[in-house]
Amino acid sequence: GSPADAGWGHGTHVAGLVVLAAPATQLMPVRVLDAAGRGNVWVLAEALLWAADPDGNPATDDGAHVINLSLGTTAPTKLLDAAIELITCKDDDADIDTSDLGFNDDRERCNLGRGVVVMAAAGNGGSSSELQYPAAEGAEGQLAVTASTADGRLASFANRGPWVQLAAPGEGIVSTLPGGGYATWSGSSMASPL
């Protein structure tokens, strides 16, 4: 890819911010979008479930402890809500029927205290009415993050509303690019990992 490609460098920029915020962290990069930044909800849901327990053995602590979702769509989906509640172990409303034996590993992982924290970018529409999913799903165990400026104000491009729980620096943020470079970008994608 190149800087002209819509998806070029976005993941590396976000990963650099994760390392900036938590230097001792171990990254688990998972590609769910194509080079143009497009994808589908099914692939994202599968990736979330895999990241929570990559080896499929709930007794081993090999899964992500925190997942950042610097992506979004304006189309709501129950699938992402269910996947997020399953990996965060926060299905308090019991809206997911986990009685099937296929959920035994998820129950065991949750009983071992291995729920994941999920951060999700709120979007850059500068709107109080535009909902970006999965951030706006309202999934239990997930936090929707919007962007603030250096002086602590809401960024002009930042989506806002009662569904957003946090704001973090997201305007003029310097981070890494592929090949050892750096760039300054703005967006809730930058706020979410911070």
Side-chain angles (χ1 to χ4, degrees):
S2 72
D5 297 331
W8 187 85
H10 184 268
T12 304
H13 197 273
V14 169
L17 295 173
V18 170
V19 173
L20 175 68
T25 195
Q26 292 183 0
L27 294 178
M28 180 190 287
V30 180
R31 179 172 280 284
V32 296
L33 303 177
D34 65 19
R38 292 183 305 261
N40 70 64
V41 173
W42 186 259
V43 170
L44 178 55
E46 284 183 322
L48 289 168
L49 295 169
W50 176 83
D53 190 9
D55 71 355
N57 179 356
T60 58
D61 188 11
D62 63 328
H65 295 179
V66 178
I67 294 176
N68 177 67
L69 298 173
S70 286
L71 49 76
T73 177
T74 55
T77 169
K78 297 260 186 224
L79 180 60
L80 287 182
D81 181 67
I84 291 169
E85 289 187 10
L86 196 58
I87 66 170
T88 61
C89 303
K90 297 289 185 186
D91 185 30
D92 295 337
D93 295 337
D95 52 350
I96 303 171
D97 179 9
T98 58
S99 61
D100 186 278
L101 292 177
F103 291 99
N104 283 346
D105 287 349
D106 297 299
R107 278 192 295 276
E108 185 178 338
R109 181 182 51 78
C110 290
N111 288 339
L112 290 168
R114 296 206 177 103
V116 179
V117 174
V118 177
M119 310 302 287
N124 305 324
S127 174
S128 60
S129 60
E130 176 185 286
L131 300 177
Q132 282 285 327
Y133 299 93
E137 290 284 353
E140 298 167 66
Q142 171 189 274
L143 295 170
V145 184
T146 197
S148 64
T149 62
D151 63 0
R153 289 182 161 55
L154 196 60
S156 61
F157 60 81
N159 282 350
R160 57 194 66 96
W163 57 277
V164 178
Q165 288 96 4
L166 299 171
E171 185 176 69
I173 305 297
V174 177
S175 188
T176 53
L177 285 182
Y182 294 88
T184 303
W185 285 358
S186 297
S188 62
S189 284
M190 285 71 249
S192 188
L194 291 175

